[in-house]
Structure formats: structure tokens, C-alpha cells
Amino acid sequence: MRFNEKELQALSRQPAEMAAELGMRGPKKGSVVKRRLVKLVVNFLFYFRTDEAEPVGALLLEHCRVTQEEPSGFSIITNSCEGASSSTGTRSRR
């Protein structure tokens, strides 16, 4: 499935079904946890730097699996034509 950048940016500006601040870690082993604002719109999970309005990226939440990693952590594992990727999040405690 292909989307162009303008379509995704327009979709990211729609009202969120859910939003939160998370600590995200990339798929590479030993990745540093980065604070991100995340926003669920339809079946896309957009993530933003905490001080920017444009999304850094998006995950299409189709054909994916969510697993609990720690008491307050989780992983999203997606399968696509290019292979499998994962992203790890941790709920923010304020």
C-alpha cells in the first residue's frame, strides 16, 4: 500500500482517537529510548517529536501484533513485503 507525504500529513492533522506521550525504541538492538508524542488516527499510529507539529513517522497498524514487554511496555511487530519490523513503547508516568 502506498501513500504520498501530503496525504499522510493531512491525515496526521485529523482529530486523534487516542494520543499519549511514549518512550519509543527503534527496531535495532540497543536503540536509545526517545520521547515521542503518538497519535492514533484511523489505523495509523503517527509519532512526533515533542516540540514539532509535523510527524516524524507513521506505522500502519494492519497485520500487526502487539505484545507486552514489561509491566508498562509493549512492542508492535508488523509484517510487510519488505520483511518484519518492530517498535517498542513505554507508557509515560507523570
Side-chain angles (χ1 to χ4, degrees):
M1 189 178 294
R2 294 188 183 266
F3 297 92
N4 70 41
E5 190 173 334
K6 287 184 181 182
E7 288 175 325
L8 287 174
Q9 286 181 351
L11 187 60
S12 74
R13 293 184 190 105
Q14 299 298 315
E17 294 172 35
M18 296 181 91
E21 185 176 319
L22 299 177
M24 290 183 68
R25 185 187 329 257
K28 294 181 183 175
K29 200 146 189 98
S31 303
V32 176
V33 175
K34 298 178 183 178
R35 304 300 304 161
R36 296 289 185 241
L37 299 175
V38 295
K39 180 176 170 181
L40 179 64
V41 180
V42 189
N43 58 345
F44 280 94
L45 186 67
F46 292 97
Y47 50 99
F48 303 79
R49 287 188 179 97
T50 55
D51 60 346
E52 294 182 7
E54 295 298 319
V56 175
L59 296 172
L60 176 61
L61 299 179
E62 286 186 350
H63 308 291
C64 65
R65 187 179 65 222
V66 178
T67 57
Q68 187 164 353
E69 295 291 325
E70 304 160 0
S72 62
F74 62 93
S75 288
I76 300 171
I77 298 140
T78 59
N79 293 316
S80 63
C81 298
E82 295 83 33
S85 65
S86 68
S87 180
T88 303
T90 305
R91 292 184 188 141
S92 174
R93 293 191 179 180
R94 290 184 176 195

